[in-house]
Amino acid sequence: MKKRKAALLLCFVMALGCLTGCSDAKPNYQGTGRSISVNGYKSQMTTVNVRFYDELSNSIVKLPDGAYALPSGLNTCTPTLIDASDTPRVFRVNTPLSDLPSCFQVVLRGADSDRKLYDLYYKN
């Protein structure tokens, strides 16, 4: 009986360790002087020197470095993030981040613009 309890406890600890270990921000993407780490388990994004075109305010937003909640998740080309002042921001990428692409583009101009401008991020 003690062996069974010990085995059950060991399985529980391993499962808990896997869940907490898997919550590290992965994968990491690098652009020119910029980086984004996405965490699908926590549905958040950690940024360094990131800018994007905010579709809600129709302007380019430069995010302060830090972690941001992604309530819309990573399976869309127009993720929503909540910034430090609890303001929702919508940005556009060319491929959903849930697909773990080898690279992706963050759009820097609105859909009404005829010039394409974007930041490119590559997976580390």
Side-chain angles (χ1 to χ4, degrees):
M1 190 60 138
K2 287 184 180 183
K3 286 184 181 181
R4 184 174 174 176
K5 286 182 181 181
L8 184 61
L9 179 63
L10 181 62
C11 287
F12 177 75
V13 169
M14 287 175 53
L16 186 62
C18 179
L19 289 176
T20 57
C22 294
S23 67
D24 290 341
K26 293 181 182 174
N28 296 321
Y29 294 93
Q30 296 286 326
T32 306
R34 307 176 194 294
S35 71
I36 294 177
S37 300
V38 293
N39 187 325
Y41 292 106
K42 290 183 177 179
S43 196
Q44 78 179 36
M45 177 171 78
T46 304
T47 64
V48 175
N49 198 24
V50 170
R51 63 186 178 163
F52 60 87
Y53 179 80
D54 178 17
E55 300 206 1
L56 293 179
S57 68
N58 294 323
S59 63
I60 290 183
V61 173
K62 184 186 178 310
L63 289 175
D65 300 349
Y68 298 94
L70 296 167
S72 64
L74 299 172
N75 58 351
T76 177
C77 286
T78 54
T80 301
L81 67 82
I82 305 297
D83 70 9
S85 61
D86 291 331
T87 304
R89 305 281 187 188
V90 175
F91 63 100
R92 184 172 299 277
V93 292
N94 66 328
T95 183
L97 300 179
S98 61
D99 295 344
L100 303 178
S102 60
C103 68
F104 67 91
Q105 300 169 353
V106 175
V107 176
L108 296 176
R109 290 214 190 267
D112 57 345
S113 174
D114 56 349
R115 263 185 57 200
K116 301 237 186 255
L117 185 62
Y118 54 85
D119 281 337
L120 192 57
Y121 291 84
Y122 292 95
K123 190 186 237 182
N124 278 355

